[in-house]
Amino acid sequence: MTDPLPVPPDSSPESDYRLWIGNLDSRLTEFSILKILQKFGSLKKFDFLYHKSGPDQGKSRGYCFASYDNKACAEHAMAKMNGKLALSKRLIVKWANKDVSTEQEKPKMTINTGNRAEEEDISPQSKIQAIEAKLQKMQDRNPSMDLKAVPGSSQLSVVQREARLKQLELINAKKQSRKPYKR
């Protein structure tokens, strides 16, 4: 029997400087991007992602992740590669983010109705009421402000209607000018 392979310990955030490299041209290979990234320092980990299923199965997803041993190498790679043209696309290089849903709790929404700002989970009904109150305040400040719009009254809709009528007239004129085939 063979011994199981040792699993490397999880890297701590302080020792893992992970970059997200996006907007990769589909013709760039894993090997070519790996060679480019190695020029900036010692890579700790490299993930080149492919589609697992669907019509693009086996093709590149257009982005990859690279982890460097130290921050200086990662910053150097980011500075040198971000915005550079690789085949036909400009590369985008950013710090890779951890899964936000596990790291932080959901941000709270703030609605200022004029009376006070509330920071709490707000129901949809409360949001609607707050927006209606704000609209009412706006209308009270400027009573001449008319918030009602009549459908089809804008200049654009009039122009579009006239253009459509002209198209229909041309189509009808062509139909009437056609003579039936006679033997």
Side-chain angles (χ1 to χ4, degrees):
M1 244 184 170
T2 61
D3 292 330
L5 292 172
V7 178
D10 256 355
S11 58
S12 65
E14 297 84 28
S15 66
D16 190 26
Y17 301 99
R18 191 166 169 87
L19 298 177
W20 176 86
I21 299 103
N23 201 32
L24 298 175
D25 191 290
S26 60
R27 297 172 291 169
L28 268 175
T29 63
E30 183 176 4
F31 179 75
S32 60
I33 195 76
L34 181 63
K35 284 297 177 191
I36 293 169
L37 290 168
Q38 286 176 337
K39 290 180 182 178
F40 301 107
S42 168
L43 280 175
K44 189 174 188 178
K45 187 176 179 183
F46 177 69
D47 297 317
F48 193 84
L49 291 110
Y50 295 96
H51 288 281
K52 290 183 178 181
S53 61
D56 293 333
Q57 184 175 0
K59 292 182 183 175
S60 168
R61 284 185 173 243
Y63 63 93
C64 66
F65 294 95
S67 297
Y68 286 93
D69 285 330
N70 59 49
K71 189 174 184 178
C73 292
E75 287 175 341
H76 181 65
M78 186 187 311
K80 291 291 185 178
M81 289 180 55
N82 192 30
K84 296 295 183 200
L85 197 62
L87 294 180
S88 64
K89 292 185 172 184
R90 295 213 178 270
L91 295 177
I92 299 170
V93 183
K94 299 178 182 178
W95 290 109
N97 296 328
K98 297 209 180 247
D99 185 18
V100 177
S101 62
T102 59
E103 297 292 324
Q104 300 173 350
E105 65 177 63
K106 184 176 137 187
K108 300 186 186 252
M109 183 173 179
T110 303
I111 295 180
N112 185 358
T113 59
N115 299 336
R116 61 189 169 101
E118 299 177 357
E119 286 194 23
E120 58 187 327
D121 291 329
I122 300 173
S123 70
Q125 187 62 31
S126 298
K127 292 177 190 177
I128 292 170
Q129 289 173 347
I131 292 169
E132 287 174 344
K134 191 170 185 177
L135 286 172
Q136 186 61 45
K137 276 190 165 187
M138 289 170 58
Q139 199 167 18
D140 290 344
R141 285 186 197 144
N142 187 0
S144 66
M145 183 173 74
D146 186 15
L147 297 177
K148 297 176 184 171
V150 178
S153 63
S154 74
Q155 186 63 33
L156 181 59
S157 63
V158 171
V159 170
Q160 289 174 339
R161 184 174 51 239
E162 289 174 358
R164 182 68 183 144
L165 286 173
K166 285 182 182 178
Q167 286 178 341
L168 290 173
E169 287 175 9
L170 288 173
I171 291 170
N172 287 335
K174 285 182 182 178
K175 284 182 182 177
Q176 290 175 357
S177 68
R178 292 185 187 148
K179 296 181 181 175
Y181 179 72
K182 294 183 183 179
R183 287 190 184 204

